[in-house]
Amino acid sequence: MFDRQRGQIALWLVLGMLLLAGVGWWARGALAPLGVVGSANKAKLLCSAVLGAGRDAAELLGAEVGTDQLQLVDVELDAERGEVVGSVLWFSEAVLYRPGLGCTRAVGTSVEALRAQVPAAVVPEAPDLTAVPWPTGDVIDPALMPAHDAAALAEVVATAFAEPDPSRPVNTRALLVVWRGQLVAERYGPEFDADTPLIGWSMTKSLTNALVGMRVLDGALDLAAPAAVPEWQQPGDPRAAITLDQLLRMSSGLAFTEDYGGLESDVVTMLFGAGGHDMGGFAATRPLAGPPDSRWYYSSGTTNLVQRILRGSFERHEDYLAFPAERLFHRIGMTRSWIEPDASGTFVGSSFGYGTGRDWARFGLLFLQDGVWEGERLLPEGWVAYSTTPTPLAPQGRYGAHWWLNAGDADDPTRRPWPRLPRDAYRASGFEGQSVMIVPSAELVVVRLGYSPDERVFDIGAFTADVIDVLSRGALAQR
């Protein structure tokens, strides 16, 4: 009798342990996206902002990456070793900072392997341009300033920093106006200044556009040729016909879920989840949702695939890593800018570009000047026109080649994203309200950087129109 009862107890214990194990495995699987994404997100953004941009960790934790669900994620920051580790429950993620390249998640690899991946000083040190005149340097000459009503312009700029509704913060951090080549207005929020690099998020896509243009100028890439993607080279794969032009125009037909509200969506899995080791490779595995040029769909995965193709145009990885600094950033004075690579060593061209307000303004000025900087052509002739030609299937003519446009509907040009702006306006646009707005007919570049979780609180189109009105009135009054 006793042996029989003991056997029954043992059976129930085994069944209980199996049940607990099953629940544990279920919970681990169910919580995996939250744990991985949460620890990766907080550690990565903290690393970039603190070790890369030099911001205060306490301020960042209080204002951005330490709020809401991210409060559950513990972080350890080791500035001496350039490492940040985020952890929640049984999940953890290590992120490594490397000078000139910013921060990279050690996903699918180790911090030690990332250290060994890049030779020392592969990215050239930025030149000191502080004593060089604007726009390449930081010296502003008042004698070159075009005539305008500075007081009226300052009043307009101040509206970008107003906080009319505390429940919907605007949080503008940098606002710059470049008119007729000169920096006519510049203002920063508390804790920020002209030396603070800030993330551009999807404005990085427009940086990728410029880098591709430079390789086209070199003869290393062909927009009309099928994209060099190894995963598509099997016989009968319809993706093999996709061109670099179609990728730049977001009309490749590739399936991709650009949904930041779902933890298991393609874009979240790529940027902060298990697909982060080789983001371009992750995008390359996506099937076709339709034939090339049959639809327009905005996709961060597409841009990271473009970066992977860009990387393949170089014989040496070191040359690719040095390329943005050597050919773009340092040439035009963007000395406090960088793009961060993924763990495979390919730049995250969709999202992880950083620069100061002045650096982003210089980038806009390069495009305003048709890709020419101080008499030197950096982009192919006609590249800006190509980039700002509407993609046929993009609604309201609003997208070109990795730039957002204001062309309007072909049948009704009045139906356009920024009705108060001229049709030739276009911009680089990023999450949480980042913007480099370019208006060629007004000889204008407007840069707005900030942290606006509700992007509707700041209307870059209306603001830019107000700037144009003030500058136009001031110019007329000076005649």
Side-chain angles (χ1 to χ4, degrees):
M1 182 71 177
F2 179 75
D3 290 340
R4 182 176 166 184
Q5 290 178 331
R6 186 169 60 182
Q8 290 176 335
I9 292 172
L11 177 61
W12 281 111
L13 285 174
V14 170
L15 291 174
M17 292 174 65
L18 289 174
L19 178 61
L20 288 174
V23 171
W25 278 109
W26 174 86
R28 186 179 182 89
L31 295 174
L34 177 62
V36 172
V37 171
S39 56
N41 189 10
K42 190 168 184 176
K44 162 66 183 62
L45 296 181
L46 188 70
C47 177
S48 298
V50 176
L51 301 183
R55 292 177 58 190
D56 179 72
E59 179 267 330
L60 193 76
L61 289 168
E64 292 178 47
V65 300
T67 59
D68 299 328
Q69 293 93 335
L70 290 180
Q71 295 181 68
L72 302 174
V73 180
D74 293 324
V75 286
E76 296 181 13
L77 189 151
D78 187 333
E80 185 174 342
R81 291 183 53 81
E83 297 178 24
V84 178
V85 176
S87 58
V88 57
L89 301 175
W90 48 81
F91 303 98
S92 67
E93 174 112 6
V95 181
L96 176 67
Y97 170 75
R98 293 172 290 185
L101 294 174
C103 295
T104 296
R105 297 172 53 212
V107 55
T109 186
S110 64
V111 166
E112 291 72 21
L114 285 180
R115 290 189 196 280
Q117 183 186 69
V118 179
V122 65
V123 178
E125 185 176 350
D128 183 2
L129 301 175
T130 54
V132 175
W134 170 269
T136 303
D138 290 324
V139 177
I140 308 298
D141 185 351
L144 299 177
M145 200 71 64
H148 65 285
D149 188 335
L153 181 58
E155 289 182 7
V156 173
V157 169
T159 64
F161 293 85
E163 295 288 354
D165 183 353
S167 67
R168 301 174 67 212
V170 178
N171 286 330
T172 296
R173 291 171 170 173
L175 198 295
L176 298 90
V177 178
V178 177
W179 185 47
R180 296 179 177 173
Q182 297 300 314
L183 185 59
V184 295
E186 180 179 28
R187 177 170 168 174
Y188 297 92
E191 311 295 334
F192 302 91
D193 57 32
D195 294 320
T196 308
L198 292 167
I199 188 169
W201 288 113
S202 285
M203 294 202 303
T204 315
K205 292 178 172 69
S206 299
L207 292 178
T208 295
N209 163 289
L211 296 174
V212 169
M214 290 174 175
R215 289 303 275 169
V216 169
L217 183 64
D218 293 343
L221 289 175
D222 182 352
L223 292 176
V229 179
E231 290 87 346
W232 300 349
Q233 303 312 308
Q234 295 298 319
D237 192 329
R239 299 173 299 178
I242 296 172
T243 65
L244 183 55
D245 170 66
Q246 290 165 337
L247 291 169
L248 286 171
R249 294 194 171 281
M250 302 290 183
S251 60
S252 67
L254 285 176
F256 195 85
T257 308
E258 190 81 8
D259 176 13
Y260 291 87
L263 291 176
E264 295 183 294
S265 72
D266 287 335
V267 68
V268 174
T269 299
M270 178 184 68
L271 293 178
F272 297 110
H277 176 80
D278 178 359
M279 299 191 192
F282 175 81
T285 66
R286 303 300 91 179
L288 282 178
D293 280 334
S294 66
R295 70 170 195 158
W296 177 86
Y297 185 78
Y298 181 81
S299 160
S300 292
T302 295
T303 308
N304 290 327
L305 182 54
V306 169
Q307 272 289 349
R308 192 163 171 253
I309 294 166
L310 180 68
R311 174 180 174 176
S313 72
F314 292 86
E315 292 186 4
R316 301 192 321 146
H317 186 211
E318 293 89 340
D319 294 335
Y320 166 73
L321 292 176
F323 183 64
E326 289 182 341
R327 289 287 295 276
L328 176 59
F329 297 149
H330 297 174
R331 292 281 187 93
I332 69 173
M334 296 176 68
T335 57
R336 290 150 294 187
S337 296
W338 66 90
I339 306 174
E340 296 171 328
D342 62 21
S344 76
T346 301
F347 290 116
V348 185
S350 67
S351 313
F352 293 159
Y354 287 76
T356 65
R358 289 190 175 192
D359 284 353
W360 287 112
R362 291 179 175 103
F363 179 62
L365 189 57
L366 172 67
F367 272 75
L368 182 65
Q369 296 173 165
D370 194 38
V372 174
W373 195 264
E374 295 189 346
E376 181 184 8
R377 176 159 289 284
L378 302 184
L379 297 173
E381 188 170 354
W383 184 258
V384 174
Y386 159 76
S387 300
T388 55
T389 298
T391 296
L393 294 178
Q396 295 184 330
R398 65 180 179 178
Y399 204 78
H402 275 46
W403 285 89
W404 293 93
L405 313 182
N406 198 39
D409 282 341
D411 297 330
D412 183 5
T414 62
R415 294 188 66 248
R416 55 185 189 264
W418 315 302
R420 290 181 56 196
L421 292 183
R423 291 183 63 203
D424 66 348
Y426 62 101
R427 73 162 174 155
S429 175
F431 180 54
E432 295 173 339
Q434 320 315 316
S435 183
V436 175
M437 180 72 81
I438 302 168
V439 189
S441 58
E443 303 175 83
L444 182 71
V445 176
V446 174
V447 173
R448 189 269 179 180
L449 304 171
Y451 176 61
S452 304
D454 182 352
E455 296 180 10
R456 296 169 298 178
V457 299
F458 185 79
D459 186 337
I460 185 62
F463 177 83
T464 302
D466 290 342
V467 169
I468 292 174
D469 289 345
V470 167
L471 292 175
S472 299
R473 291 198 303 269
L476 288 173
Q478 295 295 328
R479 289 183 180 179

